[in-house]
Amino acid sequence: MRTIRTVAVIGSGVMGAGIAAHLANAGIHVWLLDCVPERLTPEEEAAGRTIRHPDVRNRLAREAIIRLKKTNPAVFFEERCAELIRIGNVEDDLHRLKEADWIIEAITERLDEKRELLRRIEPVWTPGTVVSSNTSGISIAAMAEAVGPELRSYFLGTHFFNPPRYMPLVEVIPGPATKLDVLSGMKQFLGHRLGKGVVFAKDTPNFIANRIGTYGLLVTLRLMAERGYTVGEIDAVTGPALGRPKSATFRTLDLVGLDTFVHVAKNVYDHASDPAEKATFDTPELLADMTRLGWLGEKAGQGFYKKVKTEAGSRILELNPVTMQYAEASPVKAASLEAAKAAKGAAAKCRALLGGEDRYAELAWEVVKPVLLYAADKADEIADTIADVDKAMRLGFNWELGPFELWDAIGLARSAARMEAEGAIVPDWVKRWIEAGNSTFYKRENGSRRYAHAGQYVQLVDDIEHLSLRGLKDKGRTVLSNGGASLIDIGEEVACLEFHSPSNAIGSDILTMIRKSVEEVRRNYRGLIIANEGRNFCVGANLMLLLMEAQEEEWDEVDRIIRVFQEAMMELKTAGRPVVAAPHRMTLGGGVEVCMAADRVTAYAETYYGLVEAGVGLIPAGGGTKEMALRAAELTAADGDDLQPAVNRAFEVIGMAKVSTSAPEAVRLGLMRSADRTVMNRDRLVHEARRTVLELHRDGYARRSGEPVRVVGREGKAVLLAGAQSMREGGYISEHDFKIARKLAHVLGGGDVPSGTQVTEAYMLDLEREAFLSLCGEPKTQARMKHMLSAGKPLRN
């Protein structure tokens, strides 16, 4: 399969446009084509346009780009990514397909229309170009019948989940004649270049994730009708308590759209041969009624939930499925739910919930039991392995545990026995597996994970470039460790500093381990990476500790804490070995300062990155403000540009506590450097960070010492304050915001020295610490810190 540089997407609806946007995020050139509109809009008629005008003929694709730029959450890493998408239509621009290395069909879910489009593609198709259908369940074999044998060998299904930027799963469905090198090449491209988790699915209705997920949702709907549970009760049980997303059952249906869900379910209903399965996938009466009424979920303003505005603010009402009226939800409390909430980790939560004896534990069991049995019954029909089934459910439905992982968590033999005692039929292969003495579908052995397959345990083969820190620790590769962090030997004479404190917040344990790790790396390693496998990279410093010390007016202790933090960051910066930080997802405050102390950042594309201290009434004091001043100076040093505009931007980014919506945007905000890297696939993050360390070492890495910082001084500080003053007078910031801005301007400007003065990093750190201590003593700052800890969001006071 040839290298993919240009992709043509046909169909600019929600999925086609979303796929095009994510391809552009990855730096791929895209042609986005759609059909020619049948008639003019009133605006086009008023402008004197005809159906032959290019703007009219390309209207659908053009409007898709406009819609994409307004979508929230953002589908582009940065809006300029849209520049990689060119628009056209299938009447005038079908010849553009000759330029494409991959053609994606993403039109309406109708077999006849998809076949017709493939027939039109074939005459302009270039041999070697991959052609795929983005379908949620239509047969790939049935589509392939529309084209000749040569194109058929390059044809397959690629089922992206919506929204394509944020949902990691892509199911790849081979056609009857798809070449093996096409399948392997597409898996590598989707995984490496687009950052997707790829699962090979068999060509069956709804493939893997939608087949099982839809089944589980329909079972739950019927349970509600039969047992009289409320919408809120179902969602309380089928959300995080069961290792599933907060959207649980009915919020998920509202987000997906009830009409879409009914269509997906009908696809199995139409093709199922088993009467019992067919009955399960028949549209429940409640869904049919709601669809008929237009209560389709979020896009219609109401579904199972409805947001209403009152004098007291917005309220969320839930549907009573008996009366078909909306009402306030009643709190859902029970011992089993409280036990699940208190448990740590998805497996423990599920055990706690299902181990209860109240009606919610019973509900959880009646939801879980049929899904586990259905997954086991259909596993061989829909997938190559149970590991693929579990991966599809984790990535496609955001379950923390796939069905076979969940079965392990609650006790395979015990739960199977309970199922049989209740009259359920456990698949023969599961019974044989248990009778052979196996207590789980998965097990860890010698640092690797194995799963049940064909009557034996088979090693789960990860991507060769997936370095698992957990797997390395299981193999005894931990060098140093304490309660907050560990140093792990990750091979090739590179070590990894892993944070594992609660929320990966930086406290004394982590700061101690930073210093010890630097000493160890200087003696025995080529370099160091900083990475972890937590949900978020780092949410910042331990705010609770700082607040307690500030409230007790222990100023010497606050000063000591900040000094230790600053010293640890300078230890990283001057380690004498290459240091590469590998952030992912939420990376805030002190977490960003750790990354700024590194020589390079290799970031997961979905990294939300910002110096957010102003939100709690403070300024960055672990080197973050100093680093932003230094970077402003670096940007303007080469050509003698005016330093002030760069400092103004830094002042705005810190003062407004801006957080990037992606790693590329962090570069634009000046929080990362242009030399820093973006990695699309999080599983490859540690590998890529290690590769960067080795490149720096190979290229003759030279130790960094304290760097002089050119500052804007008192004159530049006055410019910064003038801007802040305007915002205060305009009512955009409060008096306390202005007080924080004054402190920030003093530090970022370099104090009261003349403009252009070069100061030391130590001097800038002193300014940071003085400002931080002063703000810690402010009652309004302490109120902000307390509110953030209790409410999880900033307080404007």
Side-chain angles (χ1 to χ4, degrees):
M1 193 184 96
R2 65 171 180 249
T3 302
I4 295 176
R5 297 184 177 88
T6 301
V7 177
V9 179
I10 304 176
S12 65
V14 172
M15 285 306 302
I19 293 168
H22 194 57
L23 287 161
N25 287 337
I28 304 294
H29 290 275
V30 184
W31 275 103
L32 180 61
L33 310 181
D34 211 317
C35 57
V36 174
E38 294 181 356
R39 59 184 62 87
L40 299 173
T41 65
E43 293 79 12
E44 289 166 342
E45 287 181 345
R49 300 276 167 79
T50 71
I51 204 71
R52 299 303 307 168
H53 194 284
D55 285 351
V56 175
R57 298 178 74 76
N58 297 337
R59 184 209 309 150
L60 297 180
R62 187 181 68 256
E63 288 180 344
I65 301 298
I66 295 169
R67 186 174 65 247
L68 288 172
K69 291 179 180 179
K70 296 178 180 178
T71 301
N72 186 29
V75 296
F76 290 116
F77 288 163
E78 295 185 90
E79 192 171 300
R80 64 182 179 180
C81 292
E83 297 169 8
L84 290 175
I85 303 176
R86 292 169 288 179
I87 61 173
N89 66 78
V90 292
E91 299 298 330
D92 306 322
D93 299 297
L94 208 61
H95 66 281
R96 301 291 186 185
L97 301 186
K98 292 181 179 295
E99 303 172 23
D101 305 301
W102 177 19
I103 300 166
I104 307 173
E105 170 276 304
I107 63 171
T108 187
E109 288 282 85
R110 287 186 51 176
L111 177 60
D112 58 342
E113 294 192 20
K114 288 178 181 292
R115 280 176 160 170
E116 176 57 30
L117 178 58
L118 288 171
R119 292 189 189 101
R120 294 186 64 192
I121 288 171
E122 189 166 23
V124 294
W125 173 72
T126 303
T129 296
V130 176
V131 179
S132 74
S133 171
N134 185 71
T135 174
S136 60
I138 295 178
S139 170
I140 300 303
M143 281 188 255
E145 291 172 359
V147 297
E150 190 174 14
L151 175 51
R152 213 174 296 163
S153 67
Y154 285 89
F155 180 66
L156 67 155
T158 47
H159 178 208
F160 285 78
F161 276 61
N162 190 39
R165 171 180 168 180
Y166 297 101
M167 292 300 291
L169 179 64
V170 174
E171 292 175 322
V172 171
I173 308 97
T178 313
K179 295 171 66 172
L180 291 178
D181 69 311
V182 170
L183 295 172
S184 61
M186 287 303 295
K187 180 181 180 181
Q188 183 177 44
F189 177 82
L190 290 164
H192 289 196
R193 193 69 187 272
L194 299 190
K196 296 302 176 185
V198 178
V199 171
F200 285 108
K202 293 183 180 179
D203 191 8
T204 55
N206 290 7
F207 313 129
I208 301 173
N210 276 347
R211 181 75 168 268
I212 293 174
T214 302
Y215 177 87
L217 289 167
L218 288 167
V219 164
T220 306
L221 275 163
R222 289 193 165 84
L223 271 171
M224 181 174 71
E226 293 167 6
R227 308 286 179 87
Y229 288 103
T230 68
V231 165
E233 286 176 321
I234 295 285
D235 274 359
V237 170
T238 59
L242 207 54
R244 297 182 185 177
K246 291 180 180 178
S247 57
T249 296
F250 296 113
R251 290 187 192 279
T252 296
L253 285 169
D254 278 358
L255 288 167
V256 169
L258 271 61
D259 52 341
T260 301
F261 177 77
V262 167
H263 173 80
V264 172
K266 187 176 183 298
N267 191 50
V268 179
Y269 177 84
D270 289 342
H271 293 92
S273 55
D274 177 8
E277 184 178 20
K278 198 175 188 72
T280 301
F281 280 89
D282 194 8
T283 302
E285 185 179 347
L286 175 60
L287 280 186
D289 289 344
M290 293 176 70
T291 303
R292 189 164 51 251
L293 290 167
W295 298 358
L296 303 179
E298 192 171 87
K299 62 187 175 184
Q302 66 185 103
F304 286 99
Y305 292 94
K306 181 180 182 180
K307 181 185 280 190
V308 297
K309 292 184 178 180
T310 68
E311 292 181 359
S314 295
R315 291 187 303 154
I316 303 294
L317 307 180
E318 70 176 46
L319 180 69
N320 182 323
V322 177
T323 66
M324 296 298 282
Q325 300 294 316
Y326 291 91
E328 288 270 10
S330 300
V332 180
K333 293 184 178 180
S336 61
L337 290 170
E338 290 301 313
K341 186 177 180 180
K344 301 295 183 184
K349 287 181 183 296
C350 292
R351 285 193 294 270
L353 176 60
L354 290 162
E357 296 181 354
D358 52 43
R359 67 192 299 263
Y360 297 118
E362 179 186 356
L363 169 60
W365 174 249
E366 293 300 328
V367 166
V368 164
K369 177 175 68 174
V371 172
L372 299 186
L373 292 171
Y374 185 74
D377 186 50
K378 297 297 177 184
D380 188 54
E381 177 186 329
I382 63 179
D384 292 330
T385 70
I386 64 165
D388 284 339
V389 173
D390 283 340
K391 183 177 180 180
M393 297 314 299
R394 289 196 311 272
L395 300 184
F397 275 72
N398 289 321
W399 291 7
E400 291 191 61
L401 300 170
F404 298 98
E405 293 166 323
L406 174 56
W407 214 333
D408 280 357
I410 64 175
L412 173 57
R414 183 173 63 253
S415 57
R418 178 181 174 183
M419 291 171 185
E420 289 195 301
E422 293 172 355
I425 299 174
V426 176
D428 288 342
W429 76 268
V430 175
K431 290 196 288 187
R432 288 195 301 271
W433 181 253
I434 295 170
E435 289 164 1
N438 299 301
S439 58
T440 59
F441 289 114
Y442 292 90
K443 71 174 182 178
R444 284 195 171 273
E445 191 174 89
N446 299 323
S448 63
R449 198 175 184 213
R450 296 173 179 271
Y451 65 93
H453 184 68
Q456 60 184 335
Y457 281 112
V458 176
Q459 184 166 336
L460 186 63
V461 180
D462 290 321
D463 187 313
I464 194 171
E465 295 180 351
H466 176 201
L467 283 173
S468 165
L469 297 180
R470 177 181 174 179
L472 290 167
K473 288 190 290 185
D474 286 347
K475 293 178 181 178
R477 301 283 282 275
T478 302
V479 180
L480 301 169
S481 188
N482 65 20
S486 296
L487 186 69
I488 306 161
D489 186 330
I490 60 171
E492 298 198 50
E493 298 179 56
V494 178
C496 173
L497 176 61
E498 176 201 38
F499 299 168
H500 45 65
S501 62
S503 299
N504 289 336
I506 299 172
S508 59
D509 281 354
I510 286 179
L511 296 176
T512 297
M513 190 55 65
I514 286 174
R515 292 195 300 273
K516 288 184 176 180
S517 296
V518 169
E519 292 171 4
E520 178 69 21
V521 168
R522 282 173 180 160
R523 287 194 299 266
N524 297 313
Y525 292 89
R526 295 178 181 179
L528 174 71
I529 74 166
I530 305 170
N532 64 70
E533 293 173 341
R535 177 173 177 78
N536 297 305
F537 177 77
C538 178
V539 297
N542 188 331
L543 191 60
M544 175 64 80
L545 176 62
L546 282 169
L547 177 60
M548 289 171 57
E549 299 294 354
Q551 289 178 326
E552 294 293 325
E553 298 187 359
E554 296 287 350
W555 305 121
D556 287 344
E557 181 59 20
V558 175
D559 182 72
R560 187 195 69 80
I561 290 169
I562 302 307
R563 283 181 185 273
V564 169
F565 199 124
Q566 291 179 340
E567 288 165 2
M569 298 305 99
M570 289 304 292
E571 281 282 313
L572 280 175
K573 186 166 184 176
T574 60
R577 297 286 187 273
V579 177
V580 174
H584 64 273
R585 294 184 60 84
M586 298 305 294
T587 304
L588 305 174
V592 172
E593 290 176 308
V594 167
C595 295
M596 286 182 156
D599 296 288
R600 291 283 190 279
V601 173
T602 298
Y604 175 44
E606 298 297 343
T607 297
Y608 316 121
Y609 193 88
L611 294 165
V612 295
E613 287 82 355
V616 290
L618 299 167
I619 71 162
T625 307
K626 175 260 296 181
E627 283 295 322
M628 290 296 280
L630 180 58
R631 291 173 186 208
E634 287 174 348
L635 286 171
T636 55
D639 51 14
D641 281 352
D642 182 8
L643 177 58
Q644 189 70 50
V647 174
N648 292 350
R649 287 192 294 272
F651 182 69
E652 181 182 351
V653 167
I654 300 174
M656 301 299 289
K658 290 189 175 183
V659 177
S660 75
T661 59
S662 66
E665 189 185 17
V667 175
R668 183 179 63 78
L669 292 175
L671 292 163
M672 292 184 195
R673 292 183 166 106
S674 58
D676 293 334
R677 289 178 172 173
T678 295
V679 176
M680 296 291 283
N681 191 319
R682 185 178 164 187
D683 285 346
R684 299 181 65 237
L685 191 56
V686 172
H687 168 85
E688 288 297 327
R690 183 179 69 177
R691 188 161 71 89
T692 303
V693 164
L694 295 172
E695 287 175 359
L696 290 170
H697 180 270
R698 183 195 62 214
D699 293 342
Y701 176 81
R703 173 175 176 162
R704 291 191 292 172
S705 57
E707 301 175 70
V709 186
R710 184 167 63 98
V711 296
V712 293
R714 68 176 73 91
E715 297 90 346
K717 182 172 72 169
V719 173
L720 299 178
L721 288 176
Q725 178 70 22
S726 289
M727 293 189 72
R728 180 176 63 170
E729 291 173 354
Y732 296 106
I733 63 174
S734 68
E735 283 295 328
H736 192 55
D737 291 327
F738 185 69
K739 183 174 286 188
I740 299 164
R742 284 207 313 268
K743 299 289 185 182
L744 176 60
H746 182 71
V747 179
L748 196 58
D752 290 318
V753 299
S755 179
T757 299
Q758 288 199 334
V759 299
T760 65
E761 290 190 71
Y763 167 83
M764 293 291 288
L765 291 173
D766 287 343
L767 292 181
E768 279 187 355
R769 196 170 61 257
E770 290 165 7
F772 190 93
L773 281 165
S774 172
L775 288 168
C776 274
E778 294 286 342
K780 288 189 175 182
T781 285
Q782 292 180 19
R784 288 189 180 192
M785 295 166 75
K786 186 176 181 179
H787 189 268
M788 178 61 75
L789 288 166
S790 62
K793 56 185 178 182
L795 170 69
R796 298 302 303 272
N797 57 3

